[in-house]
Amino acid sequence: MEKMSRVTTALGGSTLTGRTMHCHLDAPANAISVCRDAAQVVVAGRSIFKIYAIEEEQFVEKLNLRVGRKPSLNLSCADVVWHQMDENLLATAATNGVVVTWNLGRPSRNKQDQLFTEHKRTVNKVCFHPTEAHVLLSGSQDGFMKCFDLRRKDSVSTFSGQSESVRDVQFSIRDYFTFASTFENGNVQLWDIRRPDRCERMFTAHNGPVFCCDWHPEDRGWLATGGRDKMVKVWDMTTHRAKEVHCVQTIASVARVKWRPECRHHLATCSMMVDHNIYVWDVRRPFVPAAMFEEHRDVTTGIAWRHPHDPSFLLSGSKDSTLCQHLFRDASQPVERANPEGLCYGLFGDLAFAAKESLVATESGRKPYTGDRRHPIFFKRKLDPAEPFSGLASSALSVFEMEPGSSSMSWFVDTAERYALAGRPLAELCDHNAKVARELGRNQVAQTWTMLRIIYCSPGLVSTTNLNHSVGKGSSCGLPLMNSFNLKDMAPGLGSETRLDRSKGDARSDTVLLDSSATLITNEDNEETEGSDVPADYLLGDVEGEDDELYLLDPEHAHSEEPEYVLPQEAFPLRHEIVDTPPGPEHLQDKADSPHVSGNEADAASLVPVDSSFSLISVSHALYDSRLPPDFFSALVCDMLRFYAEQGDVQMAVSVLIVLGERVRKDIDEQTQEHWYTSYIDLLQRFCLWNVSNQVVKLSTSRAISCLNQASTTLHVNCSHCKRPMSSRGWVCDRCHHCASMCAVCHHVVKGLFVWCQGCSHGGHLQHIMKWLEGSSHCPAGCGHLCEYS
Amino acid sequence: MNRGSSSPSAAANYLLCTNCRKVLRKDKRIRVSQPLTRGPSAFIPEKEVVQANTVDERTNFLVEEYSTSGRLDNITQVMSLHTQYLESFLRSQFYMLRMDGPLPLPHRHYIAIMAAARHQCSYLINMHVDEFLKTGGIAEWLNGLEYVPQRLKNLNEINKLLAHRPWLITKEHIQKLVKTGENNWSLPELVHAVVLLAHYHALASFVFGSGINPERDPEISNGFRLISVNNFCVCDLANDNNIENASLTGSNFGIVDSLSELEALMERMKRLQEEREDEEASQEEMTTRFEKEKKESLFVVSGDTFHSFPHSGCSLLSLDFEDDMIITSDVSRYIEDPGFGYEDFARRGEEHLPTFRAQDYTWENHGFSLVNRLYSDIGHLLDEKFRMVYNLTYNTMATHEDVDTTMLRRALFNYVHCMFGIRYDDYDYGEVNQLLERSLKVYIKTVTCYPERTTKRMYDSYWRQFKHSEKVHVNLLLMEARMQAELLYALRAITRHLT
């Protein structure tokens, strides 16, 4: 602590200034290192070795250390390091295995001081002792680390990494005798410089080579390592076993890692391949880099913080032959571009939603999410108070749970399973389906089926009584139909019809209203409007009489609601402006040709039920005889189908499409049909209704859909003997030359249809098995299983 | 029953080396007998391999697990002399042929065929024609390159360069392939293809270098099966000395007693190890040594008669040899520009492509990351394979035990890279000269650069004291070194394309 404050003041005395800048080098750089005065930087590479002065506005070349006529491999540097105590002392590691020291204080042009040629392979790293003037450490590809005393000609000690190549060596900043080394096989070793015989500690840090490591400048035990496995890990070495305290996943192998001065949790990384940027990470926030420097056009090979106590200047050298100074305030911050909102459904229909904190804070005051009738089960905030970017990008996470039961799709499954789609006359299909829908309490759908039947089945087929019956049914269903409109619009969830019976009373007079107006429209007979009161009343009465079983209607309740009901609004909430200012029913009837009528005309979709009641009404109005041809309705039916599809009930759309077949298909374009089919099939498959889904595929007339069952019809089989897939023929295995499928009856190979019992897995030729099971109920293989053939 | 159908044609299936042809032409009376050797290799006595095999449960297990054909083929049998290595080899091969990857299965086999065809390696071609059909490949493609989609045809250029002169691959070649268009390759697909190509070029080296025999009872499962060809000339197999081969009975073998040869090698190794400490060559000296080695590799084969036919591989076809016509055209239909062959790296003085500095683009640092990024997991498998082959040792040399062979292995590995123009800064190429005798250099050069010309004579002429398994070890080293060299060049070009 003492030391820190002292240096900070020293820094304060000579404040660093500068800007983001770069200068072009003559050749790619392999490594850089900064002088302790923070005013000079050395750049080393295969064919470059220069010292640059860092000035306010630019880099200025101060010294070229590559002297001599012939280029020597000793100058082909893999690494360079500048002594942090002595500004005249540098060391380089050459690719040919030589370690060279340089003394800038030498008067001659050639500053080369000493040459150590003890390594047999490329030296990957050199490192000066942080406080000792003469101690230099090197790590090489040949698997040895050597410690040199610069006052002597040879190494003082050699540390063996058991023939694994050494990628990095670093003296601990706090422990005088300790250094860490990293290896190509993923290990990290800790050595005591006094004990070259064996390492103090060894652990596997990464999968694949560990390219770099760096001791934390303040935290005694923290060591950051970066590897080819694209990870940066921070280890706590103070404990008995090295413990991984942080882990950052990057997008490319990590070539260098350097702790950021004065920022306890920050470190800078650059990568060896593919990715050219330099990232500064907050290790506590391992998913988004805190800052990113994007200046380089090729991989960054060396990074260094300019001053050990100034967090804002970063220097870097790159393969693109540039040397850069980056200013932290100029860095791009990916956090700013991060999308703080996210939405996801859980397995059981739960919804998780993350949004910017500020957004959630204001809105939660208004309780916005209770609007959709689901309640947040928990509301979690996971924010670190010390988080430096909390203002920038912090999201609050809310999770919403479905109300129990509301997500139930059992009606869908039941409907899918029970609907009849083909194989019977249209009238029967419609009746059947209407019955199914009614039993499931889906009266609007039931009503629709009934209407379809009326529209498309020739009158001769429908007996008068039947018709009357259906008229009654139809009208009775008309009311809840309206209701379900309301409901669906309020909460477009599926299966909401069941809940909506309560507003039935309201709907009643609506129906009257609609009926009358609809009659008006379709007949274009203004006279009728006046008289429509009567049938409407009749209908109402009818409804009340017949509906008791279907709807648990409480007439009093209905009446009590009546005064405040705003029916038209509910009936056409989405598209009908006309109903925004609902007039009273009487009022409406008075001005039958008011503008909203034409509005209704324009949007026929929502009028489908009305039309049906029109036809129902027409029974009593002698319209029955002059039946309109089914073609007349096809546009309306199509609109109806679209309406259902838009409401999310694609099941209805597809079912009707199949049942009606040719009658409507031509009116709906292929693409829409295909879209409906695929959605429905997808839904069915999600509910594991494979049979239904296949039936739908089979019945579909769309080519693209019926193709579905023709794709990937191959059945892959594995050999029963060696369990390998049989690639060429189904009956004999290429590998073990065993015949895989033998007939249990005739003991010959089955080359065609093979039928087998799912209970005991014995089987054989279809014919043989059939014959066998006629006479016996036991398995022909004699396993004792009671096989069944169905 | 299969045996019966294949043997009558077998006599016609034997290629004749150019040397023999000359002799044959001179003296028409020499009857070409049919010296079909038994066992998986024509170079290695059957019992050597079989002995090892019967003991080895592990090999069988590996074959069960990773072989695509499900049988113990000859390559596997020979490789099973080094079970440790065999595992990584089969695993990586299985991965690139059968596991998740960007290319469809039949394409993978077709690419293998294309690669093997560059070296006229009918053994590999036959093998993959079968697999190609088995995985549902379109039989028509086997009629030749004209019948395959343009996209696959576009690989030709890179196949040719990789096989013979990988240093010529530039980022322009990569760009041409990945450029958006109808037949473009995605980078992952391209990397997969490159890995396959390099693998099968190298494997062709192994097949020829170890004299792998055609499979003995080829399963005739389709009408497209090629006639199996053994590319070893009769003279090699017979190994009788009545056909003279001036080039090979040259300088320093046959004269020196083989036993003292071994001793001398050991002596040299020891000396080199000691020398290191006291005498250090100057940098200029080191550079010149590399250049010298590079240049010398030029002349290694030049004494050989083959050199009088610069494009020997296919000029064989054009020679008026009645019997062989069909066979060779079977192979050549998978390649374009058959005349393109290895050209010495050192020779192209005028263009002077810069030496590939190994330290600037290494497999461990760069190649691995790129490969693994674009074709996940193959990097780990290849990495393991390279490591395995580089570190594989039994600490024996012929009859001697407890020998550190690191030096020798490194010399072999680096010499192969040297011929492809890859230079290690930290290697003294003088060592190559000391450790690798001329006959070995001839063998190495032939196996890595023109594998189809390998003869039993070459195989026999070096390291006569050494065991066969050690020679197989040498072949493995050569194969992997070659594969790595090809990969390095291709991947470097891809990296340059990316930046």
Side-chain angles (χ1 to χ4, degrees):
Chain A
M1 212 54 218
E2 229 177 59
K3 190 183 169 196
M4 249 183 69
S5 56
R6 181 165 50 80
V7 184
T8 319
T9 42
L11 180 68
S14 60
T15 325
L16 290 176
T17 51
R19 60 183 188 93
T20 299
M21 58 188 181
H22 71 273
C23 89
H24 188 77
L25 311 169
D26 310 320
N30 276 347
I32 62 168
S33 186
V34 192
C35 178
R36 71 164 178 169
D37 65 3
Q40 293 174 84
V41 58
V42 59
V43 185
R46 174 169 289 284
S47 49
I48 182 171
F49 189 24
K50 283 179 180 172
I51 291 176
Y52 285 86
I54 310 163
E55 298 190 349
E56 196 125 325
E57 291 293 311
Q58 60 188 346
F59 291 104
V60 176
E61 183 179 330
K62 269 193 74 179
L63 192 60
N64 186 357
L65 290 158
R66 275 178 83 86
V67 288
R69 283 171 296 112
K70 279 184 200 153
S72 161
L73 271 183
N74 292 348
L75 291 171
S76 156
C77 304
D79 191 34
V80 63
V81 64
W82 204 319
H83 202 297
Q84 290 306 300
M85 305 289 290
D86 181 353
E87 47 197 61
N88 278 331
L89 193 56
L90 286 110
T92 56
T95 49
N96 63 350
V98 178
V99 175
V100 192
T101 59
W102 307 79
N103 185 357
L104 301 181
R106 276 166 75 116
S108 70
R109 251 186 86 228
N110 189 353
K111 309 285 186 193
Q112 188 171 321
D113 195 21
Q114 264 178 301
L115 212 65
F116 301 101
T117 53
E118 295 185 25
H119 284 294
K120 292 195 189 79
R121 307 275 311 263
T122 300
V123 177
N124 287 317
K125 198 77 186 178
V126 281
C127 176
F128 278 115
H129 195 278
T131 50
E132 201 56 54
H134 301 287
V135 177
L136 175 67
L137 190 65
S138 67
S140 157
Q141 199 74 18
D142 62 10
F144 291 103
M145 294 145 276
K146 286 180 189 285
C147 183
F148 304 95
D149 187 321
L150 302 186
R151 292 161 295 197
R152 290 171 56 174
K153 275 197 166 335
D154 304 317
S155 61
V156 260
S157 42
T158 300
F159 310 87
S160 165
Q162 264 81 46
S163 76
E164 267 305 327
S165 300
V166 186
R167 299 309 299 243
D168 199 357
V169 283
Q170 290 290 341
F171 274 111
S172 165
I173 293 165
R174 292 306 166 101
D175 291 314
Y176 185 90
F177 294 112
T178 309
F179 72 88
S181 55
T182 70
F183 293 87
E184 208 146 79
N185 61 356
N187 285 348
V188 171
Q189 293 181 348
L190 238 58
W191 291 83
D192 186 314
I193 198 104
R194 297 161 296 185
R195 294 198 55 184
D197 53 330
R198 59 179 195 85
C199 64
E200 298 282 290
R201 185 188 284 180
M202 179 167 95
F203 60 96
T204 303
H206 290 267
N207 180 15
V210 190
F211 288 138
C212 52
C213 66
D214 196 30
W215 289 94
H216 197 282
E218 289 152 39
D219 259 305
R220 191 185 199 88
W222 277 19
L223 179 74
T225 58
R228 193 171 70 180
D229 58 359
K230 308 180 191 170
M231 305 248 235
V232 178
K233 290 181 181 173
V234 180
W235 304 88
D236 185 355
M237 311 290 268
T238 50
T239 48
H240 179 61
R241 282 187 61 198
K243 198 174 87 202
E244 185 186 324
V245 282
H246 292 290
C247 178
V248 176
Q249 177 87 48
T250 66
I251 57 166
S253 57
V254 182
R256 310 266 170 183
V257 56
K258 283 272 181 279
W259 287 99
R260 186 175 174 206
E262 311 283 299
C263 295
R264 196 163 178 274
H265 289 103
H266 283 202
L267 47 79
T269 65
C270 66
S271 95
M272 187 154 296
M273 275 294 286
V274 191
D275 186 18
H276 310 157
N277 300 337
I278 304 164
Y279 300 99
V280 178
W281 300 87
D282 185 315
V283 289
R284 294 162 304 171
R285 222 191 143 111
F287 304 108
V288 186
M292 187 161 100
F293 300 101
E294 302 166 297
E295 277 83 0
H296 288 299
R297 298 273 73 88
D298 202 338
V299 280
T300 310
T301 47
I303 49 175
W305 294 95
R306 187 167 157 195
H307 191 281
H309 294 285
D310 189 328
S312 50
F313 293 91
L314 179 69
L315 298 165
S316 68
S318 158
K319 276 248 156 77
D320 65 1
S321 309
T322 53
L323 174 67
C324 268
Q325 171 168 279
H326 312 275
L327 243 67
F328 207 77
R329 64 176 144 82
D330 293 336
S332 72
Q333 304 196 334
V335 173
E336 283 174 348
R337 280 175 275 154
N339 181 1
E341 275 97 29
L343 184 73
C344 189
Y345 264 112
L347 181 61
F348 300 108
D350 302 347
L351 178 73
F353 174 62
K356 252 192 183 158
E357 256 229 303
S358 51
L359 210 66
V360 175
T362 55
E363 287 202 1
S364 60
R366 290 189 280 125
K367 300 212 169 208
Y369 302 117
T370 51
D372 66 356
R373 280 150 225 240
R374 287 153 208 183
H375 308 287
I377 42 165
F378 62 88
F379 186 78
K380 190 164 67 175
R381 296 189 54 192
K382 219 178 152 186
L383 292 170
D384 187 348
E387 181 55 62
F389 314 106
S390 55
L392 275 173
S394 62
S395 303
L397 177 72
S398 326
V399 177
F400 303 95
E401 190 183 48
M402 295 291 273
E403 237 173 62
S406 68
S407 64
S408 163
M409 289 286 281
S410 59
W411 64 270
F412 177 87
V413 178
D414 281 349
T415 313
E417 279 172 347
R418 290 169 59 190
Y419 265 0
L421 298 178
R424 286 191 259 172
L426 178 62
E428 264 177 59
L429 290 176
C430 288
D431 276 347
H432 175 88
N433 293 345
K435 192 167 146 256
V436 169
R438 206 172 305 116
E439 277 165 16
L440 291 169
R442 305 177 67 216
N443 293 294
Q444 180 191 9
V445 174
Q447 168 81 336
T448 312
W449 281 114
T450 314
M451 287 184 298
L452 287 172
R453 178 201 148 107
I454 294 168
I455 294 169
Y456 286 102
C457 294
S458 64
L461 285 175
V462 189
S463 73
T464 328
T465 47
N466 258 353
L467 187 63
N468 281 341
H469 180 61
S470 63
V471 167
K473 282 261 169 68
S475 58
S476 70
C477 292
L479 300 176
L481 174 60
M482 291 310 163
N483 287 332
S484 55
F485 269 92
N486 309 340
L487 289 163
K488 286 208 165 178
D489 293 325
M490 275 155 45
L494 294 155
S496 48
E497 283 155 275
T498 44
R499 300 190 262 159
L500 295 164
D501 301 344
R502 59 176 171 78
S503 56
K504 194 203 156 227
D506 313 348
R508 220 184 306 162
S509 38
D510 286 341
T511 319
V512 179
L513 164 72
L514 289 166
D515 285 347
S516 52
S517 55
T519 318
L520 175 68
I521 303 151
T522 43
N523 287 349
E524 307 215 82
D525 180 0
N526 288 344
E527 300 274 310
E528 281 291 321
T529 331
E530 297 293 300
S532 66
D533 272 358
V534 181
D537 279 341
Y538 158 70
L539 274 174
L540 278 175
D542 195 24
V543 167
E544 295 217 328
E546 290 192 15
D547 266 357
D548 282 340
E549 306 139 34
L550 286 170
Y551 306 102
L552 303 170
L553 170 69
D554 178 6
E556 297 199 6
H557 181 230
H559 275 289
S560 68
E561 269 184 7
E562 216 150 10
E564 47 183 356
Y565 91 75
V566 272
L567 169 84
Q569 212 163 12
E570 288 185 346
F572 307 137
L574 283 183
R575 288 170 292 184
H576 295 256
E577 303 93 326
I578 32 157
V579 292
D580 278 346
T581 52
E586 298 86 12
H587 180 52
L588 177 74
Q589 280 162 4
D590 287 343
K591 326 201 244 164
D593 50 352
S594 57
H596 66 263
V597 174
S598 56
N600 277 345
E601 213 166 9
D603 197 334
S606 42
L607 285 177
V608 173
V610 173
D611 283 318
S612 67
S613 46
F614 147 67
S615 66
L616 300 174
I617 294 158
S618 66
V619 176
S620 58
H621 282 265
L623 279 169
Y624 175 70
D625 296 330
S626 57
R627 267 187 76 88
L628 294 159
D631 277 353
F632 179 81
F633 299 101
S634 60
L636 290 172
V637 172
C638 292
D639 284 340
M640 185 264 297
L641 292 184
R642 285 203 188 93
F643 169 80
Y644 275 114
E646 265 165 42
Q647 293 293 311
D649 190 359
V650 74
Q651 180 179 49
M652 183 64 187
V654 172
S655 303
V656 171
L657 203 59
I658 292 175
V659 168
L660 294 183
E662 285 300 332
R663 295 177 186 86
V664 285
R665 194 163 9 105
K666 55 186 181 302
D667 297 316
I668 299 171
D669 64 297
E670 277 283 308
Q671 246 178 333
T672 318
Q673 288 191 33
E674 228 177 277
H675 183 64
W676 291 350
Y677 273 118
T678 44
S679 324
Y680 186 40
I681 289 165
D682 187 45
L683 263 176
L684 288 171
Q685 290 179 344
R686 270 164 202 259
F687 283 98
C688 301
L689 297 163
W690 311 111
N691 290 337
V692 184
S693 122
N694 273 330
Q695 196 193 5
V696 169
V697 171
K698 203 173 149 196
L699 290 172
S700 79
T701 43
S702 160
R703 262 194 59 227
I705 300 301
S706 41
C707 280
L708 284 181
N709 270 4
Q710 286 156 23
S712 68
T713 51
T714 319
L715 186 67
H716 296 279
V717 285
N718 283 5
C719 171
S720 60
H721 190 252
C722 66
K723 309 281 184 287
R724 292 294 168 142
M726 300 200 290
S727 45
S728 59
R729 282 149 303 195
W731 60 87
V732 61
C733 177
D734 304 315
R735 296 166 148 268
C736 60
H737 301 285
H738 264 262
C739 292
S741 42
M742 305 285 275
C743 177
V745 180
C746 68
H747 298 285
H748 280 97
V749 183
V750 186
K751 292 190 179 179
L753 280 177
F754 183 80
V755 62
W756 71 95
C757 169
Q758 293 177 347
C760 63
S761 76
H762 291 114
H765 292 104
L766 180 61
Q767 298 299 328
H768 294 168
I769 295 291
M770 278 168 77
K771 208 179 277 173
W772 176 274
L773 288 175
E774 275 169 21
S776 163
S777 59
H778 285 272
C779 175
C783 68
H785 187 257
L786 288 167
C787 302
E788 272 179 49
Y789 180 82
S790 52
Chain B
M1 55 153 197
N2 293 336
R3 192 81 60 85
S5 65
S6 65
S7 53
S9 59
N13 286 345
Y14 273 82
L15 275 181
L16 295 174
C17 75
T18 31
N19 210 5
C20 297
R21 274 169 215 213
K22 279 189 182 167
V23 179
L24 272 177
R25 273 189 213 139
K26 269 189 270 174
D27 186 359
K28 288 279 184 190
R29 282 169 302 168
I30 291 179
R31 293 280 303 170
V32 182
S33 62
Q34 194 215 354
L36 186 75
T37 49
R38 303 182 59 83
S41 164
F43 296 172
I44 307 165
E46 190 179 8
K47 63 176 192 315
E48 289 255 350
V49 183
V50 174
Q51 232 170 19
N53 267 335
T54 45
V55 196
D56 207 345
E57 278 297 307
R58 179 99 188 118
T59 311
N60 284 328
F61 169 75
L62 287 174
V63 170
E64 283 265 302
E65 194 69 25
Y66 296 116
S67 162
T68 50
S69 59
R71 58 201 302 245
L72 182 67
D73 51 36
N74 289 344
I75 292 187
T76 316
Q77 280 193 52
V78 172
M79 271 188 198
S80 66
L81 291 168
H82 304 277
T83 329
Q84 277 175 293
Y85 170 82
L86 181 69
E87 178 165 5
S88 13
F89 172 83
L90 286 178
R91 271 177 62 183
S92 62
Q93 183 173 264
F94 187 73
Y95 187 84
M96 58 184 102
L97 286 177
R98 280 289 180 275
M99 301 292 275
D100 285 345
L103 291 173
L105 296 187
H107 284 223
R108 303 182 191 186
H109 289 294
Y110 200 84
I111 290 170
I113 295 172
M114 285 168 71
R118 281 293 347 161
H119 290 305
Q120 290 110 42
C121 183
S122 44
Y123 174 86
L124 288 175
I125 293 176
N126 286 340
M127 196 162 155
H128 286 282
V129 163
D130 278 351
E131 299 264 318
F132 173 75
L133 292 170
K134 229 185 261 175
T135 50
I138 300 162
E140 196 192 12
W141 293 9
L142 296 176
N143 293 340
L145 276 183
E146 309 89 82
Y147 298 87
V148 304
Q150 185 62 36
R151 209 166 88 94
L152 270 178
K153 236 189 277 179
N154 289 346
L155 266 193
N156 252 322
E157 177 77 7
I158 210 164
N159 179 21
K160 183 176 85 176
L161 291 178
L162 263 186
H164 307 295
R165 301 174 209 168
W167 53 87
L168 293 181
I169 293 181
T170 61
K171 70 174 181 189
E172 282 75 27
H173 291 113
I174 306 295
Q175 266 156 7
K176 226 162 80 190
L177 285 169
V178 300
K179 192 179 63 191
T180 44
E182 206 183 330
N183 299 311
N184 72 319
W185 287 76
S186 73
L187 273 175
E189 285 173 327
L190 183 63
V191 167
H192 192 175
V194 161
V195 169
L196 280 169
L197 288 174
H199 179 82
Y200 281 98
H201 292 152
L203 193 56
S205 281
F206 181 82
V207 168
F208 286 112
S210 313
I212 302 291
N213 269 338
E215 296 298 331
R216 245 189 292 169
D217 48 350
E219 188 189 330
I220 299 177
S221 56
N222 55 74
F224 296 93
R225 194 183 170 80
L226 300 176
I227 311 151
S228 33
V229 189
N230 189 324
N231 264 0
F232 308 111
C233 174
V234 187
C235 67
D236 309 323
L237 299 172
N239 203 20
D240 48 0
N241 290 330
N242 59 355
I243 302 170
E244 59 172 355
N245 192 334
S247 68
L248 288 174
T249 44
S251 52
N252 61 356
F253 77 82
I255 308 153
V256 193
D257 175 33
S258 55
L259 204 69
S260 61
E261 209 174 51
L262 174 67
E263 299 298 336
L265 177 59
M266 301 271 296
E267 189 57 40
R268 278 199 300 274
M269 279 173 71
K270 204 181 268 171
R271 210 173 51 232
L272 272 173
Q273 228 138 20
E274 285 156 4
E275 231 173 53
R276 235 171 220 296
E277 264 83 76
D278 41 70
E279 187 237 340
E280 196 55 46
S282 76
Q283 292 314 301
E284 297 74 41
E285 176 64 16
M286 297 287 268
T287 314
T288 40
R289 278 184 196 172
F290 174 75
E291 294 301 327
K292 193 173 137 227
E293 212 47 55
K294 223 167 71 181
K295 291 242 163 55
E296 211 172 72
S297 70
L298 252 178
F299 308 107
V300 161
V301 195
S302 60
D304 204 312
T305 38
F306 288 121
H307 249 257
S308 49
F309 302 99
H311 308 313
S312 85
C314 53
S315 47
L316 284 183
L317 320 183
S318 52
L319 290 178
D320 48 347
F321 247 79
E322 317 83 57
D323 301 340
D324 297 336
M325 289 306 287
I326 317 136
I327 301 152
T328 34
S329 72
D330 267 345
V331 172
S332 67
R333 62 187 170 187
Y334 298 116
I335 49 174
E336 251 174 20
D337 190 9
F340 193 88
Y342 175 83
E343 188 181 71
D344 291 287
F345 185 81
R347 187 188 279 170
R348 303 149 297 98
E350 309 85 41
E351 353 173 10
H352 197 74
L353 286 159
T355 306
F356 188 116
R357 298 296 191 137
Q359 268 81 359
D360 289 352
Y361 199 96
T362 61
W363 164 256
E364 286 82 12
N365 296 357
H366 307 92
F368 171 89
S369 296
L370 185 67
V371 150
N372 225 29
R373 185 187 191 84
L374 294 169
Y375 178 21
S376 55
D377 289 346
I378 191 71
H380 291 288
L381 293 167
L382 292 178
D383 199 40
E384 193 201 315
K385 190 165 66 126
F386 290 142
R387 265 166 179 281
M388 170 64 70
V389 81
Y390 200 87
N391 295 328
L392 187 70
T393 182
Y394 306 96
N395 292 319
T396 54
M397 267 176 77
T399 48
H400 297 257
E401 285 185 2
D402 265 342
V403 193
D404 182 7
T405 56
T406 318
M407 234 179 190
L408 209 52
R409 283 178 282 137
R410 199 169 163 214
L412 287 167
F413 204 85
N414 287 357
Y415 185 63
V416 172
H417 278 194
C418 166
M419 279 183 302
F420 285 105
I422 300 174
R423 179 183 173 192
Y424 288 84
D425 286 343
D426 54 1
Y427 188 68
D428 175 6
Y429 285 84
E431 278 184 30
V432 169
N433 231 6
Q434 302 257 348
L435 297 176
L436 310 183
E437 61 197 40
R438 194 176 155 76
S439 54
L440 177 55
K441 279 188 184 172
V442 169
Y443 177 76
I444 294 174
K445 172 125 194 194
T446 317
V447 165
T448 47
C449 303
Y450 332 89
E452 61 276 14
R453 299 185 199 165
T454 316
T455 62
K456 187 168 196 305
R457 191 178 301 275
M458 289 179 191
Y459 176 85
D460 286 334
S461 64
Y462 78 94
W463 283 7
R464 276 182 265 177
Q465 277 298 306
F466 283 67
K467 290 180 213 131
H468 282 292
S469 79
E470 285 168 317
K471 290 194 171 188
V472 171
H473 188 178
V474 169
N475 280 331
L476 294 178
L477 268 168
L478 302 185
M479 165 167 101
E480 294 301 338
R482 177 174 181 203
M483 177 170 182
Q484 199 181 74
E486 287 187 17
L487 275 180
L488 282 177
Y489 274 111
L491 294 175
R492 187 177 67 163
I494 292 175
T495 308
R496 285 182 176 165
H497 161 74
L498 285 174
T499 52

